[in-house]
Amino acid sequence: MALIIQKYGGTSVGNIDRIRAVAKRVIQSAGRGDKVVVVVSAMAGETNRLIELGKTVSRRSEGREFDVLLATGEQVTTALLALAIEEEGRRAVSFLGHQVQITTSGAFSKARIESVNTVRTLEALNDGYIVVVAGFQGATREGSITTLGRGGSDITAVALGVALKADRVEFYKDVDGIYTADPAVCPDARMLPKVTYEEMLEMSYLGAKVLHPRCVEMARRNRLPLIVRSSLNFNPGTSVVTEEEIMEYAAVAGIVCDKNQVKVSLLNIPDKPGILAGVFTAIAEDEINIDMIVEDTTGADRATSVSFTCGSADLGAAEKAAKKITAKYPGSSYAVRSGLNKLSIVGAGMRLHSGVASKMFTALAREGISVYMVNTSDIKVSCLIEAKYSELGVRTLHDVFELGKPQPRKAARTAKAARK
Ligand code: ASP
Ligand code: MG
């Protein structure tokens, strides 16, 4: 008998018919003898609606009272799902974050989970109940309701999985699993039966909006198996597993594209120790979320240039910071380029294959796509390109790395073994 966490996102509980379908599905799993804890999001669009509602009476859009307000979205779906399960003849009980005792930090709208109490949930499971838990929410030690940040129900599901020592966490989505590329852009994109935690983590950070990166990281640390599958069919979906569980890799597992990127360059600033620290402290104070950073000292004597990227939501703040910084240094200037996308290839197999980056650059060049900045890790290469070329870029790379076809079966050894 397994203990399974099933997480259903906003689309999967987006209306009453879907909630009824989820109830049937949950009962089916429980009927196999497994203990099931279900974590739900608010109905699709509901969290946005609540934010707008709050904004009609407040100039703010987050903080303590917003968390009280936003947490109601998940309260509704939790109760409706428990009712629907009971209507089908199975016993169910709903718990809000504070009822489970999901204790968080006091950072409203972006709280971190500090501990999860398992007593009440285990008791209910042992008494034969299906337990339905509200995602995205918790409470501080003092009892204030908190939320975990947008998309935070994924984090609730994995945190519960870890605390309850679940056998796996299943994420039910409106897609079949993790794809080699966005199927809307790449018609021959394939679903990947398995990806490693590291690949999933990179993909999440690089813009694949399938799982919250914080939940992937938590699952990886605890070696908790994850499955991403559709709530609309019974396809097996994608398993997120350790490297040891994948016997062979293609160099590239998938292509991801992160939209709305901005590049800011500070030109001809003094080249001496402490300057970079000063620049990025100023930027951090303005709460700008920096992604890539490149410094290049080959300019004029004792001068350097540094470029960074951020999301376009931070464009105004980044421009202001650049103005402020360059005003301090005579002869320096800044340049801002918006309308960029970050196109990335991700694959644990990159550690085994050489020439992956050059293949990427060659393919992009052949299509006349300019690259404005490059960033790499051992399992990804990211290129900043003009937004208008992003779909062409995704398709080009998907072709050149032959992701549309079944992967060639090469040396059957793990990346770990190869590194030894
Ligand atoms: N309802 C929250 C949101 O829309 C949390 C979630 O869906 O995971 O961000
Ligand atoms: Mg979500």
Side-chain angles (χ1 to χ4, degrees):
M1 191 166 70
L3 199 166
I4 304 167
I5 315 286
Q6 296 192 339
K7 189 256 164 176
Y8 291 88
T11 317
S12 303
V13 293
N15 59 44
I16 295 301
D17 284 341
R18 294 223 167 140
I19 290 176
R20 286 203 185 103
V22 168
K24 291 206 174 83
R25 188 153 194 154
V26 170
I27 289 170
Q28 234 171 42
S29 303
R32 286 193 289 267
D34 293 336
K35 291 181 173 166
V36 184
V37 176
V38 190
V39 174
V40 287
S41 291
M43 288 180 171
E46 180 62 6
T47 308
N48 288 341
R49 188 188 73 82
L50 291 167
I51 292 172
E52 291 311 313
L53 187 61
K55 284 184 358 195
T56 59
V57 292
S58 169
R59 268 167 298 174
R60 315 187 50 184
S61 59
E62 54 176 47
R64 185 183 187 282
E65 304 316 326
F66 267 87
D67 279 9
V68 176
L69 179 61
L70 298 199
T72 62
E74 273 73 10
Q75 177 161 355
V76 170
T77 44
T78 311
L80 288 176
L81 181 58
L83 287 169
I85 293 171
E86 298 237 293
E87 205 53 35
E88 293 286 327
R90 277 288 309 231
R91 288 196 299 174
V93 59
S94 69
F95 290 141
L96 301 179
H98 69 89
Q99 293 175 309
V100 175
Q101 280 186 29
I102 296 175
T103 306
T104 73
S105 70
F108 295 111
S109 310
K110 44 179 177 291
R112 298 246 160 196
I113 295 179
E114 289 173 352
S115 63
V116 176
N117 189 329
T118 57
V119 173
R120 219 167 153 184
T121 307
L122 285 176
E123 246 171 42
L125 287 173
N126 289 335
D127 288 344
Y129 286 89
I130 292 170
V131 178
V132 186
V133 177
F136 178 54
Q137 57 175 266
T140 64
R141 235 172 285 270
E142 295 74 40
S144 294
I145 289 174
T146 52
T147 64
L148 307 176
R150 297 307 304 270
S153 301
D154 289 357
I155 304 170
T156 307
V158 171
L160 274 167
V162 171
L164 293 165
K165 301 192 170 52
D167 292 275
R168 60 180 183 275
V169 180
E170 302 173 347
F171 292 89
Y172 287 88
K173 303 262 164 193
D174 52 359
V175 292
D176 272 0
I178 311 293
Y179 278 76
T180 50
D182 181 352
V185 173
C186 230
D188 66 336
R190 271 182 322 114
M191 206 201 68
L192 293 157
K194 285 181 182 181
V195 295
T196 71
Y197 290 111
E198 287 77 14
E199 287 171 337
M200 192 65 247
L201 197 57
E202 285 286 9
M203 288 184 189
S204 305
Y205 276 123
L206 294 171
K209 300 200 166 38
V210 182
L211 292 183
H212 197 296
R214 263 162 71 192
C215 95
V216 182
E217 175 55 33
M218 201 188 296
R220 183 178 73 92
R221 269 201 320 271
N222 293 281
R223 294 184 154 242
L224 174 61
L226 306 179
I227 291 173
V228 179
R229 58 192 298 202
S230 171
S231 61
L232 308 171
N233 60 46
F234 287 89
N235 298 340
T238 301
S239 301
V240 185
V241 296
T242 60
E243 287 193 356
E244 289 78 6
E245 285 169 76
I246 298 185
M247 291 306 286
E248 47 206 344
Y249 302 93
V252 175
I255 318 282
V256 204
C257 188
D258 200 0
K259 299 197 162 68
N260 303 321
Q261 303 289 300
V262 172
K263 178 186 174 200
V264 180
S265 303
L266 308 172
L267 307 164
N268 267 323
I269 55 173
D271 181 20
K272 52 182 191 212
I275 294 285
L276 276 189
V279 166
F280 286 100
T281 306
I283 289 167
E285 276 163 7
D286 288 333
E287 294 191 16
I288 299 162
N289 233 322
I290 299 289
D291 182 10
M292 306 183 190
I293 299 177
V294 172
E295 197 214 350
D296 186 359
T297 48
T298 51
D301 251 4
R302 277 181 235 208
T304 186
S305 295
V306 50
S307 297
F308 64 85
T309 66
C310 59
S312 54
D314 284 336
L315 172 62
E319 201 160 359
K320 232 163 86 192
K323 200 179 241 166
K324 201 167 69 190
I325 293 160
T326 49
K328 279 200 272 185
Y329 307 117
S332 68
S333 60
Y334 70 89
V336 177
R337 183 184 276 274
S338 55
L340 298 173
N341 281 5
K342 185 169 63 175
L343 181 61
S344 308
I345 53 176
V346 177
M350 265 179 225
R351 298 194 187 112
L352 296 175
H353 297 72
S354 57
V356 175
S358 68
K359 196 167 173 181
M360 179 181 194
F361 303 147
T362 307
L364 294 177
R366 209 183 307 125
E367 297 298 329
I369 301 175
S370 299
V371 174
Y372 292 93
M373 210 191 266
V374 177
N375 193 8
T376 64
S377 80
D378 56 344
I379 66 161
K380 71 123 195 270
V381 183
S382 299
C383 290
L384 208 56
I385 64 166
E386 274 178 85
K388 65 178 178 201
Y389 293 130
S390 66
E391 298 200 349
L392 173 65
V394 170
R395 284 195 288 266
T396 301
L397 297 178
H398 200 263
D399 281 349
V400 87
F401 288 105
E402 298 175 31
L403 296 180
K405 298 187 205 140
Q407 296 303 299
R409 294 289 159 198
K410 285 196 182 150
R413 53 181 192 167
T414 66
K416 266 244 168 75
R419 263 179 286 146
K420 277 184 193 143

